[in-house]
Amino acid sequence: MSVRLRVWAGLGCFTRPEMKVERASYDVITPSAARGVIEAIYWKPEIRWVVTRIHVLKPIRFTSLRRNEVASKIPATTAASAMKAGKGRLGTYVEEDRQQRAATILRDVDYVIEAHFQILSGEDNPAKHLDQFNRRAREGRCWSRPFLGCREFPASFALVEEGEALPAVPDELKVERDLGFMLHDIDFNDGMTPRFFRAVLRDGVIDVPPFDSEEVRR
């Protein structure tokens, strides 16, 4: 049982991990970001969403901007110590830690995400989960606002009903285009190790290989 969800926004940034100083986005949404959008609508600990295909509905366009960010974050060990002791210094002062960073991001993005889910535990009733996801997506309900890479880039979404045709692909996307290695997802069972795959855009569609396949590398 699979679902199709259309997501669009004015801006999106799917940061390349190899860019250490300034942010630079991948050409399209990553599978991990797509999974995050779906989980913002419907998530249960009993299931795991698997993104299988990404449709790119608008030409790939970039823009640049500068944003104010904080230069550091509170270490996890400090937070853990404070939780254990019941006290600690967890504050951060934006005025003292602010920095300006350039970013190359995507503009005017529009995708259709195809995905299915695997039941990890609990009742073996996929129809129940599918019905709840479809109902929530159809009504525009979500646990948290979906976003495209950064929380300041909120996304709109709509369920693509079964049998509903997708919008036509722009002519400039009706080619085969190698997008290079792209983040697939994070292996949470292996010390938060990132996994990558070779993304190829064919006629506006990227086929996402299974997470445990040979096409996915560390």
Side-chain angles (χ1 to χ4, degrees), residues 18-173:
E18 66 268 28
M19 306 299 286
K20 300 295 185 182
V21 179
E22 309 294 356
R23 292 183 187 274
S25 176
Y26 284 113
D27 291 8
V28 298
I29 187 172
T30 62
S32 61
R35 176 179 56 78
V37 169
I38 291 177
E39 289 180 345
I41 297 169
Y42 181 74
W43 177 84
K44 291 286 184 182
E46 295 87 358
I47 67 171
R48 175 170 56 202
W49 286 102
V50 179
V51 175
T52 55
R53 187 172 291 167
I54 295 170
H55 300 257
V56 183
L57 302 182
K58 287 192 175 179
I60 299 170
R61 298 283 186 268
F62 288 94
T63 188
S64 299
L65 55 78
R66 286 187 175 275
R67 302 188 302 169
N68 291 323
E69 301 181 4
V70 292
S72 62
K73 58 184 180 181
I74 300 170
T77 52
T78 302
S81 299
M83 291 175 63
K84 186 176 182 180
K87 59 181 180 180
R89 186 170 183 265
L90 295 177
T92 182
Y93 300 95
V94 175
E95 298 300 332
E96 299 174 1
D97 204 23
R98 178 181 291 165
Q99 67 177 9
Q100 195 171 63
R101 297 178 64 183
T104 303
I105 63 177
L106 294 164
R107 61 176 173 85
D108 195 19
V109 295
D110 196 346
Y111 306 110
V112 169
I113 302 166
E114 288 190 36
H116 65 269
F117 58 84
Q118 300 170 338
I119 295 180
L120 304 177
S121 61
E123 183 183 5
D124 186 14
N125 188 353
K128 180 188 72 174
H129 295 294
L130 181 64
D131 179 64
Q132 291 192 57
F133 174 84
N134 286 340
R135 188 169 63 250
R136 292 179 66 83
R138 194 176 290 125
E139 297 172 353
R141 297 161 58 194
C142 52
W143 301 119
S144 60
R145 185 67 182 176
F147 57 90
L148 297 186
C150 299
R151 289 193 180 276
E152 57 265 50
F153 302 148
S156 301
F157 63 90
L159 179 70
V160 180
E161 301 285 354
E162 187 174 357
E164 181 181 347
L166 298 181
V169 176
D171 289 340
E172 66 181 83
L173 295 180

Side-chain angles (χ1 to χ4, degrees), residues 60 169-179 200-206:
I60 299 170
V169 176
D171 289 340
E172 66 181 83
L173 295 180
K174 293 179 179 177
V175 295
E176 181 169 315
R177 181 172 170 183
D178 186 352
L179 302 180
V200 179
L201 185 69
R202 294 186 180 90
D203 294 331
V205 180
I206 297 174

Side-chain angles (χ1 to χ4, degrees), residues 48 118 184 195 209-217:
R48 175 170 56 202
Q118 300 170 338
H184 186 294
R195 298 290 182 88
F211 187 70
D212 55 357
S213 70
E214 293 183 352
E215 299 173 60
V216 179
R217 305 177 184 179

